[in-house]
Amino acid sequence: MLTTNPYDDDKLREECGIFAAWNADNAASFVALGLHALQHRGQEAAGITSLDQSGFHSHRAQGHVAGNFDRDEVIRALPGRTAIGHVRYSTTGSSALRNVQPLFAELADGGFAVAHNGNISNAMKLRRTLNRRGSIFQSTSDTEVVIHLVATSAHTQLLDRIVDALTQVEGAYALLMLTEQGLIACRDPLGIRPLVMGRIGDTVVFASETVALDVIGARYERDVGPGEMVIVNADGLRSFRPFASASPRPCIFEHVYFSRPDSVVDGISVYESRKNIGAVLAEEAGVEADIVVPVPDSGVPAAIGYAQASGIPFELGIIRSHYVGRTFIQPSQEVRHLGVKLKHNANSALIKGKRVVLIDDSIVRGTTSLKIVQMMRDAGAREVHMRIASPPTRHSCFYGVDTPERAKLLAAQMDVEAMAKYINADSLAFISIDGLYRALGDHRDAAAPQRCDACFTGDYPTRLTDLTDKKAEESGLKLAAVS
Ligand code: AMP
């Protein structure tokens, strides 16, 4: 179902991965490979837009990268030495094809294609203003406001128009923009979402995660810095810092769950950080037990860390089928429940009679934990102790990680003791927020946290204009006049 209601924030939120290649013989094939490595960041739809002398070419479709870009004729229809691509997932309403990125528009400066990872937290307010001024939106994606802001900017040069557009935007964005004047990569001033740059021969690539560089054999060069804009064209590569400088707040959840363990995020190996998280968790919340069992795959590195630090043997007590999508992504609660049963199975011969420490990366709605604890009990576990490699998720993310509304977060509804009862575990413990920072090699400065940890602390590093406006509306207050 499509929505035309810009106030429905469910329909504007998404979670994504982006990739670009400049100066490659067949840029689209590089992008397809890069997106394949980023598939975990979004599995509902994928798209690639390329540029050659004849103009822009685009293929966008629902489904996986492999299904959409595995045929020669599809890649051949995306000619050119420069291309950008996008994988996404979002709630059902917004999976419509018109929201699949890269988005494209013909502007006064020529064609403009954009791929975005993040979420613009004042998109609805901007959209209302633009609508009133005559902008006609083609999608319900928050990203489209960037296109209209660029299109309507009073500046004459394209780069100035883009900067003008982005200074009006709040929230999180890692952006790849394909224009006739060059390929532009940009990260929001706080660097909430990741973006890295690499090279293979004379080809420059940009990606959400380093794992997408590895897949094509590209060398990691550096992160695109918070607030940095990089343009690559025939004149070479230039970097700008057009925004007011701010202390960076990269997303901590990339390390907890979102990034692949073989990626390096903010200069830290995600695998190492997850193992460290497990070790700190063992220190903070040790328990007498016979085996440490990860909820696969997301709990595996933390469980290895927990086992090594505690001396309790690591065992694969749950086997995961790799032919089922992530439970979280299924659109309805009924399917989500079914998904968990399809996805995991207890290794009963191992579990019987044992005291089990179960490790998972996070509890969101509690669906997975409830099922898995029961699965351990059905398999004959003597005790089940759940340990979670992140603090309780008490707040929604408004920066591009698809979390349910606050009321559906288990930790927003009850304390840890009640959660233990709810999931029927003998004990339940989470790593502390300070412990999490320690595991990442930091010391959390409570007055000015070095990362975005809003999902755990509620400390949002930007304004959340749409949320506040919406609340104001719901409470019968009149919206502030939009300028
Ligand atoms: P839940 O079953 O709702 O408690 O969700 C927790 C499970 O979902 C954990 O096993 C996580 O690995 C996974 N998860 C956590 N956050 C996300 C997210 N934003 N997107 C997809 N899966 C997630």
Side-chain angles (χ1 to χ4, degrees):
M1 191 193 75
L2 289 177
T3 176
T4 52
N5 178 2
Y7 301 93
D8 189 344
D9 72 347
D10 249 351
K11 307 294 185 284
L12 295 177
R13 208 174 298 151
E14 57 199 47
E15 185 166 359
C16 310
I18 54 178
F19 191 93
W22 179 81
N23 196 30
D25 271 348
N26 183 346
S29 58
F30 272 34
V31 175
L33 288 165
L35 292 182
H36 200 275
L38 298 173
Q39 187 75 82
H40 59 288
R41 297 182 73 89
Q43 291 132 52
E44 283 200 351
I48 298 179
T49 301
S50 70
L51 174 63
D52 72 353
Q53 301 83 338
S54 67
F56 290 79
H57 313 273
S58 196
H59 181 73
R60 304 178 301 151
Q62 284 174 322
H64 287 188
V65 178
N68 290 329
F69 293 103
D70 58 350
R71 278 165 297 131
D72 267 359
E73 64 265 29
V74 175
I75 298 291
R76 269 203 308 275
L78 295 166
R81 301 189 62 79
T82 313
I84 63 174
H86 191 268
V87 287
R88 81 190 296 257
Y89 86 75
S90 58
T91 48
T92 17
S94 52
S95 341
L97 196 53
R98 63 180 182 160
N99 284 339
V100 178
Q101 299 195 20
L103 299 181
F104 177 79
E106 292 285 356
L107 306 185
D109 312 279
F112 183 86
V114 59
H116 170 210
N117 173 209
N119 186 63
I120 297 171
S121 59
N122 62 340
M124 285 179 266
K125 181 167 181 177
L126 290 168
R127 187 177 166 121
R128 279 196 298 270
T129 314
L130 288 157
N131 266 156
R132 278 185 205 139
R133 290 186 186 152
S135 293
I136 297 165
F137 279 76
Q138 303 293 326
S139 75
T140 57
S141 158
D142 60 329
T143 309
E144 199 183 338
V145 298
V146 175
I147 297 181
H148 290 278
L149 289 171
V150 174
T152 56
S153 169
H155 289 264
T156 48
Q157 299 297 317
L158 178 65
L159 278 186
D160 294 336
R161 295 159 80 89
I162 294 172
V163 173
D164 182 35
L166 294 178
T167 45
Q168 297 173 63
V169 156
E170 289 169 10
Y173 52 85
L175 290 170
L176 294 171
M177 293 165 271
L178 184 57
T179 76
E180 283 155 30
Q181 297 176 35
L183 169 66
I184 301 157
C186 184
R187 213 168 150 201
D188 71 73
L190 300 177
I192 297 176
R193 300 258 70 84
L195 190 61
V196 298
M197 191 175 116
R199 276 182 210 263
I200 172 164
D202 293 331
T203 303
V204 178
V205 293
F206 295 94
S208 295
E209 290 180 39
T210 58
V211 70
L213 307 183
D214 299 344
V215 79
I216 56 161
R219 179 173 40 84
Y220 165 80
E221 193 160 295
R222 63 182 182 84
D223 282 20
V224 174
E228 184 182 3
M229 184 179 274
V230 179
I231 174 161
V232 204
N233 58 21
D235 299 333
L237 187 147
R238 280 171 299 151
S239 159
F240 306 88
R241 300 253 172 201
F243 309 113
S245 74
S247 302
R249 299 282 294 272
C251 166
I252 207 162
F253 203 68
E254 291 280 348
H255 290 276
V256 167
Y257 170 81
F258 208 43
S259 291
R260 243 172 70 162
D262 45 345
S263 279
V264 175
V265 175
D266 321 316
I268 315 171
S269 145
V270 174
Y271 179 71
E272 282 303 318
S273 56
R274 287 189 190 156
K275 259 176 58 177
N276 290 343
I277 293 171
V280 173
L281 186 58
E283 244 173 63
E284 289 188 347
V287 61
E288 283 219 358
D290 303 310
I291 51 174
V292 174
V293 170
V295 178
D297 293 324
S298 52
V300 173
I304 293 173
Y306 191 102
Q308 286 176 356
S310 65
I312 303 170
F314 171 94
E315 296 285 4
L316 290 179
I318 301 167
I319 304 303
R320 176 182 164 182
S321 161
H322 285 268
Y323 307 101
V324 187
R326 288 180 176 195
T327 43
F328 202 87
I329 298 161
Q330 307 295 340
S332 73
Q333 191 69 21
E334 297 74 38
V335 183
R336 228 179 341 257
H337 279 279
L338 181 68
V340 174
K341 273 188 252 161
L342 284 172
K343 195 164 135 182
H344 296 119
N345 190 33
N347 187 353
S348 304
L350 172 80
I351 299 297
K352 200 168 171 19
K354 302 268 177 36
R355 295 170 301 171
V356 178
V357 186
L358 265 182
I359 312 273
D360 203 358
D361 66 284
S362 57
I363 293 183
V364 182
R365 295 176 179 85
T367 318
T368 309
S369 307
L370 186 66
K371 291 279 170 189
I372 297 284
V373 171
Q374 190 55 46
M375 195 179 282
M376 293 294 97
R377 295 207 184 281
D378 293 345
R382 190 143 58 90
E383 291 171 18
V384 185
H385 303 279
M386 188 95 200
R387 295 292 177 269
I388 302 295
S390 61
T393 303
R394 294 206 170 95
H395 305 270
S396 302
C397 177
F398 298 103
Y399 302 126
V401 176
D402 187 32
T403 43
E405 63 189 81
R406 223 184 147 207
K408 296 202 177 108
L409 296 172
L410 196 65
Q413 298 165 38
M414 49 183 93
D415 62 17
V416 175
E417 210 179 312
M419 285 173 88
K421 278 210 185 90
Y422 175 83
I423 65 169
N424 191 26
D426 294 288
S427 75
L428 168 68
F430 295 79
I431 193 171
S432 67
I433 187 72
D434 289 339
L436 179 56
Y437 272 72
R438 191 148 53 85
L440 300 181
D442 284 339
H443 173 80
R444 185 173 191 268
D445 175 357
Q450 304 89 318
R451 294 177 179 276
C452 177
D453 53 23
C455 49
F456 307 128
T457 61
D459 179 356
Y460 293 96
T462 73
R463 280 190 296 180
L464 299 174
T465 299
D466 290 340
L467 188 78
T468 355
D469 278 5
K470 205 172 160 201
K471 279 208 180 116
E473 237 175 46
E474 276 164 7
S475 65
L477 289 173
K478 241 180 125 24
L479 281 175
V482 197
S483 59

